[in-house]
Amino acid sequence: MSGKPVGRQVAVVTKFQTEAVKPGGVDRRTAGRAAEQAVADMQVQVQQRVLDSLDPLVALLRQWQKEAPAAAVRGACDWAATTRDLAGLAEMHLLTEVAMHSYDCLDAVAVDGASMDANEAACFADALVFARQDACRGSDLMPYQPLLKDLETLTTLVIGRGAQAG
């Protein structure tokens, strides 16, 4: 192989650099505060979207029928995925975990033909409402391990029914 360089170096000038060299441009401290405010505003919007996505999911789970229409199951599955993803962005760790178990269970019902009764669906609805309170504001889920273990057991039970049905 020859000693010639394989690529070339390109100078990139960011908007911050351009604004910083202008007279009256933005200093680093002001830019940092503006960025922090923008992130805080976005965090509030994401949290509101989480709460908005949670209401339809809880309503569907509370009105669950053993032989739910396929459209209702797919809708619940979509709401659970949305809640799981948005809660992860908002760093609502307990809600993320509960929504993940809800999604796994609903996915087994939608895809594998597993069955879930109204009492089981109500357990997921209750867990989602509990997690919505946002008592867990960190990544320490240890106090909630019994709840998460029970949800995992319930999810495994429903998924197992899907394997038997298939």
Side-chain angles (χ1 to χ4, degrees):
M1 186 162 185
S2 68
K4 294 183 180 179
V6 178
R8 64 185 180 138
Q9 193 172 19
V10 178
V12 176
V13 178
T14 65
K15 182 178 177 186
F16 175 79
Q17 290 169 321
T18 305
E19 294 295 319
V21 296
K22 286 184 182 177
V26 178
D27 65 19
R28 186 174 298 272
R29 185 174 296 131
T30 304
R33 281 194 301 256
E36 288 172 3
Q37 183 61 44
V39 168
D41 292 345
M42 192 176 354
Q43 186 83 356
V44 169
Q45 291 173 352
V46 170
Q47 288 175 349
Q48 189 57 49
R49 292 267 326 260
V50 169
L51 299 179
D52 292 345
S53 72
L54 196 54
D55 290 335
L57 176 59
V58 169
L60 281 167
L61 289 171
R62 292 221 189 272
Q63 299 168 359
W64 191 263
Q65 302 165 3
K66 189 167 186 154
E67 299 300 322
V73 174
R74 281 192 305 276
C77 202
D78 290 344
W79 284 116
T82 300
T83 301
R84 177 199 62 208
D85 297 343
L86 290 175
L89 286 173
E91 296 182 1
M92 301 169 88
H93 300 291
L94 180 60
L95 184 57
T96 302
E97 292 293 319
V98 173
M100 180 191 67
H101 285 297
S102 302
Y103 172 79
D104 290 345
C105 189
L106 291 165
D107 185 58
V109 172
V111 175
D112 299 332
S115 64
M116 179 170 67
D117 66 30
N119 291 331
E120 293 166 338
C123 287
F124 285 109
D126 291 343
L128 287 164
V129 170
F130 174 75
R132 169 196 234 165
Q133 297 171 20
D134 202 23
C136 177
R137 247 320 185 187
S139 58
D140 182 19
L141 296 174
M142 287 306 290
Y144 305 100
Q145 285 304 315
L147 169 66
L148 295 174
K149 182 64 176 159
D150 290 346
L151 290 175
E152 181 180 344
T153 302
L154 180 56
T155 302
T156 303
L157 176 71
V158 172
I159 290 172
R161 287 188 207 134
Q164 291 172 354

